[in-house]
Amino acid sequence: MSCFAVTGGKKLSGEVTIQGAKNSVLPILAATLLSRGQCVLENCPRLRDVMASIQILQSLGCRTWWQGNALSVDTTYISGAVIPDTLMREMRSSAIFLGAMLARCGEAELSYPGGCELGPRPIDLHLGGLRQLGADIEEEGGRLRCKSAKLRGCDIALSLPSVGATENLMLAACGAEGTTRILHAAREPEIVELQAFLRLCGAEVSGAGSDCVVIRGGKPLHGCSHRVRADRIVTATYLCGAAAAGGEVFLRQARADDLTAVVTVLREAGCEIRKDAAGIFCGRKGKLRAVSTVRTAPYPGFPTDAQSVLMAALLCGEGTTVFEENIFENRYRHVSELCRMGGDIRVLGRVAVVNGVRHLHGAAVESTDLRGGAALCVAGLSAEGRTQVGGIHHIQRGYADLPGDLRALGADVVQEDE
Ligand code: UD1
């Protein structure tokens, strides 16, 4: 089995360009279905989830091709509205195709995405909103069959600000007649980027970044060219890497304005962080310190996706840090693996208490999910000796080249294939 081998204990020094954002590009790939034409996505990361989305688009009859890091998608012709089971299983966020397919074809059939490593992953808010827009949805034997003779705009109040539901409903609403208002919408930067993409295609969308997104639907959309912005969670991972190992790094293209909550915590922990137009500089010379309670929350709160990498960085921080995970039920699966490396962490329900230790030691550990796997690599940077991180297919869902990026930052990380 392949693994990432991290030889720790070296201070970081170097710079790397941050890849395009996975969570931006996935809904945008679904959104390409709305335009009858060619869309070009520059700075598109080559990730397993992106490749799975490309396969879904191809299975629907779209043409796709790469030129360097630019992905072109031609959605002029579509031959079907059914996503095969095997492709749905490849990528859990594929439910995002529902809204776009309904808007474009008036029907969609796919299997229910079900649970994932983070616990149950319901899509009731997606389905409830689509029904309000006029979709007729049948759930049978794990398949969803959706039809809509005509989607009509309306007010949809989400009971919680789900990122995926907000995106799905924005896409469906582009194909609905009249005005849709999504209330209590998610405010993540990826929603703002989806709005920017839709506007480039000719859609009338406003309000993204606030808790009310307004879509005036029914306009014919056309292709466009869009540059995918830098991935804020990959940025957070490398910031935490520098916090864990010490040294100085520069993250080119990184955007600090997307990461205020993470930057605030890392400064409290003793890191020096400066931003300029080209990216973010992060350095740590003194000791790393524990921080006040870290509570994950919807944007602009502390991102759940950065909880594990921050925890990995703080394992050797002086003092005790309390984490409270408020978004997903099962998001501490990296904890037992971090403890195998010498971490002192106790979990009680949604709370994890991290007592800083003097040293971590290398060990053979296993990734159980994407960000948990990245956290094991971050911990490996500050551990004495060699850490072998298995289950790298999880990490590759979200990081185009984690070992290469960390090497550019001066770390000793290689992929070993057996
Ligand atoms: C997106 C991100 C993921 C991130 C998460 C929270 C993508 C591809 N993934 O996931 O990396 O961790 O936002 O920032 O962008 N919920 C329901 N019913 C629903 C939908 C969600 O109960 O219909 C619950 C979920 O179980 C979860 C919470 O709402 O507890 C937040 O989920 P949501 O914001 O929808 O996350 P995703 O869009 O799945």
Side-chain angles (χ1 to χ4, degrees):
M1 294 295 271
S2 300
C3 73
F4 291 157
V6 185
T7 306
K10 263 180 93 176
K11 282 195 184 343
L12 299 191
S13 168
E15 71 168 65
V16 76
T17 301
I18 299 295
Q19 69 183 56
K22 168 177 92 75
N23 288 353
S24 294
V25 86
L26 297 180
I28 287 176
L29 282 169
T32 61
L33 285 173
L34 297 175
S35 68
R36 284 161 209 263
Q38 187 182 319
C39 295
V40 182
L41 304 180
E42 287 165 34
N43 197 33
C44 183
R46 291 178 187 251
L47 300 167
R48 288 173 63 100
D49 277 7
V50 170
M51 300 307 173
S53 299
I54 290 174
Q55 281 185 299
I56 289 176
L57 287 168
Q58 289 172 344
S59 78
L60 299 173
C62 307
R63 289 196 316 126
T64 68
W65 63 98
W66 289 92
Q67 275 173 306
N69 277 339
L71 173 67
S72 296
V73 183
D74 187 340
T75 56
T76 311
Y77 303 104
I78 285 191
S79 51
V82 179
I83 301 184
D85 267 6
T86 44
L87 295 181
M88 282 300 290
R89 266 190 228 114
E90 267 294 300
M91 194 187 63
R92 296 200 182 70
S93 36
S94 40
I96 190 69
F97 279 91
L98 257 184
M101 284 163 74
L102 273 174
R104 172 77 191 260
C105 319
E107 58 179 337
E109 186 178 330
L110 42 78
S111 54
Y112 202 82
C116 77
E117 301 92 1
L118 308 182
R121 203 90 180 233
I123 53 168
D124 53 314
L125 301 175
H126 304 232
L127 301 184
L130 292 173
R131 284 189 172 113
Q132 275 185 266
L133 288 170
D136 182 18
I137 304 177
E138 281 175 30
E139 300 170 58
E140 195 189 290
R143 296 286 294 171
L144 288 173
R145 285 191 193 82
C146 314
K147 275 206 161 60
S148 61
K150 195 159 212 146
L151 294 172
R152 282 184 205 285
C154 64
D155 280 3
I156 302 167
L158 297 178
S159 56
L160 57 88
S162 155
V163 177
T166 303
E167 293 166 343
N168 224 338
L169 297 173
M170 283 166 76
L171 300 188
C174 283
E177 220 164 72
T179 300
T180 300
R181 291 196 310 159
I182 305 171
L183 308 167
H184 202 200
R187 299 163 56 190
E188 268 66 2
E190 292 74 26
I191 308 283
V192 177
E193 189 167 353
L194 181 61
Q195 169 176 284
F197 174 82
L198 290 170
R199 281 182 178 173
L200 284 173
C201 294
E204 251 189 79
V205 188
S206 59
S210 79
D211 61 0
C212 175
V213 181
V214 182
I215 305 104
R216 281 181 236 291
K219 295 185 81 183
L221 304 191
H222 49 75
C224 73
S225 181
H226 172 81
R227 186 174 175 80
V228 181
R229 68 205 253 173
D231 193 306
R232 63 192 173 102
I233 305 303
V234 171
T235 305
T237 304
Y238 300 160
L239 290 175
C240 289
E248 296 183 345
V249 300
F250 186 70
L251 307 180
R252 200 161 280 286
Q253 284 180 25
R255 301 169 57 127
D257 48 343
D258 288 350
L259 273 172
T260 307
V262 174
V263 167
T264 304
V265 171
L266 287 174
R267 282 189 176 137
E268 187 187 342
C271 297
E272 184 194 343
I273 298 179
R274 289 192 309 270
K275 51 184 170 171
D276 65 27
I280 304 180
F281 165 89
C282 177
R284 177 175 70 80
K285 293 199 181 95
K287 290 204 161 177
L288 197 66
R289 298 184 295 266
V291 296
S292 36
T293 302
V294 178
R295 297 183 174 86
T296 64
Y299 191 85
F302 191 91
T304 173
D305 286 352
Q307 172 254 104
S308 60
V309 289
L310 177 68
M311 183 182 288
L314 290 174
L315 291 176
C316 291
E318 260 180 5
T320 299
T321 301
V322 176
F323 285 81
E324 191 181 295
E325 171 56 51
N326 295 308
I327 307 295
F328 289 107
E329 274 178 31
N330 200 3
R331 210 150 199 192
Y332 286 135
R333 294 179 70 198
H334 47 280
V335 163
S336 57
E337 298 301 288
L338 291 175
C339 290
R340 290 172 59 136
M341 299 173 70
D344 177 354
I345 313 167
R346 262 156 245 184
V347 173
L348 194 67
R350 61 171 55 183
V351 171
V353 180
V354 178
N355 291 308
V357 294
R358 278 173 174 257
H359 305 286
L360 296 176
H361 51 80
V365 287
E366 193 66 21
S367 317
T368 49
D369 62 83
L370 163 58
R371 306 302 170 187
L376 300 177
C377 296
V378 168
L381 295 175
S382 60
E384 285 169 8
R386 232 165 100 86
T387 299
Q388 284 178 300
V389 180
I392 63 172
H393 59 283
H394 290 293
I395 300 175
Q396 288 165 334
R397 280 187 42 230
Y399 297 80
D401 182 12
L402 187 75
D405 284 356
L406 290 176
R407 278 198 302 275
L409 296 176
D412 182 349
V413 186
V414 288
Q415 177 168 341
E416 290 180 348
D417 299 304
E418 279 178 18

